[in-house]
């Protein structure tokens, strides 16, 4: 294993495969499919670095979410040919999301989460689909989620706890999305559109109403919980 600069770790082929948890033949297959950028070479020795490891974890996360290698190759090619980062959502299968992806250097990501950018937290972020890699840059899928996560970490909440909470919130959010989508689809069948994100699609058109209901209910629920946990003021003795 070699070092490049003060922080960049480098791996031989076998070391990178072991770090990524894949067979060497799989790593070589990804290279042949151009899913990985070329390694640095010293004679006949190929040296990979942490960016290659992050790309492999991105591939694993996308495969886990049901993407094919062909689709992942399209995503990789799109970034390498300069496609606008705003198209990340479409390529990841969230084409009509309102979220704005953000490009970051590894150094900028470290600035957002000082001391918290560990391999474990990076893997969790990749598994959630929050992060993807594009050469030397990292893409976060949502400016809002990035800012909120950074703010929580800035207040002293460990990033690992933030990501675990995000995973649990995702489960509830999926259930709420299904609830409102079923409600709208069942009772507004006269509208045109079939949930494809077009302007005349009732799910798209009424999504702000669902968001308002969820926000109001969450606010009231947090108020009730706070009140239940706050000791009642004691009446002073006469």
């Amino acid at each position: 294993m070699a070092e490049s600069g003060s922080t960049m770790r480098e791996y031989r082929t076998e070391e990178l495969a072991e770090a990524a948890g894949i067979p060497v033949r799989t790593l070589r297959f990804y290279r042949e499919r151009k899913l990985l950028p070329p390694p640095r070479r010293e004679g006949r020795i190929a040296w990979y670095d942490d960016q290659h490891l992050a790309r492999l974890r991105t591939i694993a996360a996308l495969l886990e979410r049901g993407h094919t290698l062909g689709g992942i190759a399209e995503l990789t090619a799109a970034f390498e040919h300069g496609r606008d980062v705003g198209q990340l959502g479409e390529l990841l299968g969230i084409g009509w999301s309102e979220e704005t992806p953000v490009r970051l250097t590894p150094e900028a990501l470290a600035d957002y989460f000082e001391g918290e950018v560990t391999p474990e937290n990076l893997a969790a972020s990749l598994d959630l689909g929050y992060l993807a890699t594009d050469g030397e840059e990292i893409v976060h899928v949502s400016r809002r989620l990035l800012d909120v996560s950074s703010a929580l970490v800035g207040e002293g909440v460990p990033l690992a706890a933030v990501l675990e909470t995000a995973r649990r919130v995702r489960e509830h959010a999926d259930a709420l999305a299904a609830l409102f989508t079923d409600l709208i689809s069942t009772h507004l069948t006269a509208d045109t559109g079939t949930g494809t994100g077009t302007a005349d699609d009732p799910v798209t058109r009424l999504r702000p109403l669902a968001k308002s209901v969820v926000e109001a209910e969450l606010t009231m629920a947090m108020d009730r919980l706070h009140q239940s946990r706050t000791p009642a003021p004691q009446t002073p003795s006469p």
Side-chain angles (χ1 to χ4, degrees):
M1 180 182 70
E3 296 288 335
S4 175
S6 59
T7 60
M8 182 65 72
R9 180 178 178 180
E10 291 194 314
Y11 309 80
R12 292 175 183 264
T13 300
E14 295 77 8
E15 293 171 335
L16 180 65
E18 181 179 0
I22 60 175
V24 170
R25 65 178 180 274
T26 300
L27 171 58
R28 289 174 174 156
F29 176 71
Y30 290 164
R31 271 290 294 122
E32 292 170 0
R33 292 288 298 270
K34 301 188 184 303
L35 295 173
L36 289 176
R40 183 179 69 83
R41 292 194 173 274
E42 287 184 356
R44 300 182 65 180
I45 301 176
W47 288 106
Y48 298 87
D49 57 33
D50 287 330
Q51 293 166 7
H52 292 95
L53 181 57
R55 176 68 67 85
L56 287 173
R57 287 174 172 164
T58 298
I59 292 170
L62 291 173
L63 288 172
E64 180 68 22
R65 295 172 65 194
H67 292 272
T68 65
L69 285 177
I72 296 170
E74 180 186 354
L75 173 64
T76 302
F79 281 133
E80 290 177 349
H81 289 83
R83 188 177 296 183
D84 192 288
V85 70
Q87 293 176 276
L88 174 67
E90 178 183 352
L91 291 167
L92 293 180
I94 52 173
W96 53 291
S97 173
E98 297 175 358
E99 298 307 309
T100 302
V102 184
R103 280 187 181 272
L104 299 162
T105 63
E107 293 78 14
L109 183 65
D111 288 342
Y112 270 95
F113 305 103
E114 186 173 356
E116 295 277 345
V117 182
T118 63
E120 293 77 15
N121 286 336
L122 283 173
S125 298
L126 290 166
D127 288 341
L128 278 167
Y130 282 0
L131 295 182
T133 60
D134 173 24
E136 297 184 356
E137 288 187 311
I138 296 169
V139 181
H140 195 292
V141 75
S142 167
R143 164 65 71 183
R144 289 195 293 181
L145 290 175
L146 174 64
D147 290 343
V148 169
S149 300
S150 177
L152 287 169
V153 171
E155 291 289 336
V157 181
L159 181 56
V162 172
L163 293 171
E164 173 58 22
T165 300
R167 184 190 64 78
R168 296 173 64 185
V169 168
R170 171 79 57 83
E171 295 173 357
H172 293 290
D174 286 344
L176 287 169
L179 181 67
F180 280 104
T181 299
D182 289 346
L183 173 71
I184 294 169
S185 299
T186 298
H187 296 283
L188 297 180
T189 54
D191 287 45
T192 59
T194 58
T196 59
T198 57
D200 55 358
D201 168 29
V203 175
T204 302
R205 180 166 53 82
L206 299 179
R207 184 165 58 167
L209 301 182
K211 290 167 60 177
S212 295
V213 171
V214 172
E215 182 177 355
E217 286 289 355
L218 177 61
T219 299
M220 292 189 293
M222 293 187 74
D223 286 343
R224 291 193 298 270
L225 184 61
H226 178 69
Q227 291 170 5
S228 70
R229 293 182 175 181
T230 302
Q234 295 182 352
T235 303
S237 302

